[in-house]
Amino acid sequence: NAGVTQTPKFRVLKTGQSMTLLCAQDMNHEYMYWYRQDPGMGLRLIHYSVGEGTTAKGEVPDGYNVSRLKKQNFLLGLESAAPSQTSVYFCASREPGQGTSGYTFGSGTRLTVV
Amino acid sequence: GEDVEQSLFLSVREGDSSVINCTYTDSSSTYLYWYKQEPGAGLQLLTYIFSNMDMKQDQRLTVLLNKKDKHLSLRIADTQTGDSAIYFCAGLVMDSNYQLIWGAGTKLIIKP
């Protein structure tokens, strides 16, 4: 089972460039999430989606946009990258009501903005 | 809102027990989780405890929940080098659209 797949795994961007991170899940989960992980700060929620066609802001949404056109995919966009967006980005998914299974995470995308 | 705190580092000798602690502020968390992150990898669910439980044991892992003190702990018995990782506690909060609130993670260092 693939679970949650993130592409790319690594990327270096110049300040001002744009890019899209792709998250794909094959578990038919309704909920999907984008987090960023910075040293000593744990995971911070950027945006999330509770179903196809829906998105909502999380704790740190500024500078990011998302889309959920298909249930299995959740895209995270950076329109104009800044060095402060250097981080490791994780996508996760879950099925509502299944508290015992928690979230399923992708393996992460390491982004460096120079 | 919910706040979850963990110590950043824990160092133990191989074969000893490791106890990783977590405190939280919001008592409305329904599930509390422990995740493990190995270097360069994503987060893997280790175990969870439901908020109406005091203890849960799963092989070498024991989770203790003290709701009065809002304290959660993860005990790893007979710690091995393969347990070296960052451990995150997280709470599933009903009032936040069932989002997970995360601690900053505890890096477990194993000494030979």
Side-chain angles (χ1 to χ4, degrees):
Chain A
N1 291 333
V4 177
T5 303
Q6 291 183 233
T7 53
K9 294 191 184 307
F10 302 93
R11 186 72 186 267
V12 179
L13 283 181
K14 293 183 178 178
T15 298
Q17 285 185 318
S18 63
M19 78 163 295
T20 301
L21 282 68
L22 171 64
C23 176
Q25 52 98 0
D26 62 1
M27 298 166 288
N28 204 36
H29 284 172
E30 285 291 336
Y31 290 10
M32 296 186 75
Y33 305 82
W34 274 108
Y35 287 94
R36 60 178 288 172
Q37 183 183 30
D38 301 293
M41 297 185 73
L43 291 171
R44 292 186 292 169
L45 183 64
I46 304 171
H47 286 280
Y48 65 99
S49 168
V50 298
E52 181 179 315
T54 74
T55 63
K57 293 181 180 179
E59 181 186 354
V60 289
D62 293 343
Y64 305 95
N65 57 75
V66 287
S67 65
R68 184 105 181 263
L69 298 179
K70 293 183 179 181
K71 187 177 183 180
Q72 63 267 34
N73 295 336
F74 195 28
L75 279 63
L76 177 70
L78 285 74
E79 291 183 349
S80 179
S84 61
Q85 294 177 303
T86 293
S87 187
V88 180
Y89 291 86
F90 286 100
C91 177
S93 70
R94 67 179 283 259
E95 191 61 18
Q98 291 185 0
T100 56
S101 57
Y103 289 20
T104 301
F105 280 85
S107 57
T109 296
R110 186 174 294 275
L111 175 67
T112 303
V113 182
V114 297
Chain B
E2 171 79 293
D3 191 25
V4 179
E5 293 189 356
Q6 300 178 242
S7 299
L8 291 183
F9 298 97
L10 176 66
S11 179
V12 299
R13 292 199 180 278
E14 190 175 357
D16 287 351
S17 292
S18 305
V19 180
I20 303 170
N21 295 304
C22 175
T23 58
Y24 59 96
T25 57
D26 192 333
S27 58
S28 68
S29 293
T30 52
Y31 287 91
L32 294 145
Y33 303 92
W34 284 103
Y35 281 83
K36 177 183 181 182
Q37 185 182 31
E38 296 183 64
L43 282 79
Q44 170 196 0
L45 179 64
L46 269 184
T47 187
Y48 69 90
I49 188 167
F50 192 54
S51 57
N52 67 355
M53 298 168 65
D54 298 324
M55 186 183 82
K56 180 179 179 183
Q57 189 153 2
D58 184 2
Q59 299 182 338
R60 291 192 298 123
L61 305 178
T62 303
V63 180
L64 295 178
L65 177 60
N66 182 328
K67 290 187 70 176
K68 175 176 171 290
D69 295 337
K70 298 180 183 176
H71 182 264
L72 179 73
S73 68
L74 173 70
R75 178 177 179 268
I76 305 172
D78 186 24
T79 308
Q80 303 298 309
T81 54
D83 295 324
S84 181
I86 301 176
Y87 292 82
F88 292 90
C89 65
L92 189 66
V93 180
M94 293 174 61
D95 294 341
S96 298
N97 196 21
Y98 290 90
Q99 294 176 30
L100 280 180
I101 308 298
W102 295 86
T106 299
K107 185 170 185 177
L108 179 61
I109 300 164
I110 315 301
K111 297 181 289 187

